[in-house]
Amino acid sequence: MKSEQIKQIMERATEQLVAALNGGHSEALTGYLKAIGRFHRYSLHNVLLIASQKPNASYVAGFRAWSQLAGS
């Protein structure tokens, strides 16, 4: 993923969160906080990317880790 794409995803996620909070919908913030709790070893930036793309993710790994898991 290119840095410009990452920047756009982050901006969109931030805008959506702010809009939800301004609209009185705190469940969006709750979702992000749950993601931060699940992926506490990851940077906030990476957690926001994960949560904005796959809110219910339970496992994440880099390319090499997934390759090893797949036996490649």
Side-chain angles (χ1 to χ4, degrees), residues 3-60:
S3 63
E4 187 59 35
Q5 290 173 310
I6 293 170
K7 184 179 176 184
Q8 289 175 353
I9 291 170
M10 289 296 298
E11 287 175 359
R12 188 172 37 242
T14 303
E15 289 169 1
Q16 289 173 350
L17 178 58
V18 169
L21 291 173
N22 285 337
H25 302 287
S26 62
E27 62 272 359
L29 178 59
T30 302
Y32 280 110
L33 292 174
K34 285 180 181 179
I36 291 168
R38 281 193 309 268
F39 304 114
H40 60 278
R41 293 181 184 216
Y42 289 84
S43 70
L44 178 61
H45 180 83
N46 284 336
V47 172
L48 292 177
L49 285 172
I50 294 165
S52 67
Q53 295 176 65
K54 184 79 170 157
N56 296 324
S58 55
Y59 297 102
V60 295

